[in-house]
Amino acid sequence: MFSDKQKPRSMNELGGQPNRIEKNTKIKGDIISEADFRIDGKLDGNVKTSGKVVIGKDGYIHGKVECVNADIEGSFNGELLVSDLLSLKSSAVIEGTVSVTKLAVEPGATFNASCTMKGKGTSSSSGATSPGGFKSSMSGNANAKNEPAKAS
């Protein structure tokens, strides 16, 4: 009477848990996935996913990450391309270049990156101006003397 074949299944229904790189695990190489990814270990390479990337408190990525959303508690060094929301927790340490649509930074996060923010429906370009007129090329340590990062 009811058929499962007619309704699409989400990633969680198919795979259950997101992909994980556990603490005390080191991987060197590139990862391509359609599912969410959580890194609590160390990755020296690139990640490309149509899902969410989470870097746990002990996690570290050195390389290029392309994803839809990202939550970072640990460390990242390289090129970060997030097509929707990047959320930096207070323990996050980010270095390199970042391209996002939306950015949320908790007090205490270290954000030493050049940042390009793109509005919905616009392409990103270095030093672009957001719809509010804020030039979003940023560099600085948001943790230094508990002051906000300075925009240039």
Side-chain angles (χ1 to χ4, degrees):
M1 186 167 153
F2 296 103
S3 174
D4 281 343
K5 293 181 182 178
Q6 292 181 357
K7 61 179 177 178
R9 296 180 181 182
S10 69
M11 279 295 162
N12 286 340
E13 287 176 333
L14 293 175
Q17 298 292 319
N19 296 299
R20 293 182 73 116
I21 297 173
E22 293 292 337
K23 190 174 178 179
N24 300 321
T25 301
K26 295 178 184 176
I27 293 181
K28 193 173 202 176
D30 297 341
I31 297 171
I32 299 173
S33 176
E34 291 183 12
D36 295 347
F37 233 94
R38 180 174 177 96
I39 291 98
D40 289 307
K42 309 251 184 282
L43 172 66
D44 188 3
N46 305 318
V47 178
K48 185 172 186 176
T49 180
S50 55
K52 180 179 192 175
V53 172
V54 177
I55 302 176
K57 200 164 198 156
D58 297 315
Y60 173 76
I61 295 179
H62 182 264
K64 181 177 181 179
V65 173
E66 295 179 68
C67 60
V68 175
N69 294 304
D71 285 348
I72 302 179
E73 291 181 85
S75 301
F76 176 83
N77 189 329
E79 184 178 2
L80 184 57
L81 306 171
V82 182
S83 61
D84 194 23
L85 173 65
L86 170 60
S87 179
L88 302 179
K89 306 301 180 192
S90 61
S91 56
V93 178
I94 308 298
E95 295 184 7
T97 59
V98 176
S99 176
V100 297
T101 300
K102 294 182 266 183
L103 177 63
V105 183
E106 287 184 0
T110 302
F111 189 76
N112 290 324
S114 62
C115 181
T116 302
M117 294 186 78
K118 54 189 176 193
K120 293 198 183 270
T122 61
S123 62
S124 73
S125 62
S126 184
T129 302
S130 69
F134 174 72
K135 189 169 180 172
S136 59
S137 180
M138 294 172 44
S139 180
N141 181 344
N143 199 23
K145 296 182 185 173
N146 213 11
E147 296 174 0
K150 295 177 183 140
S152 55

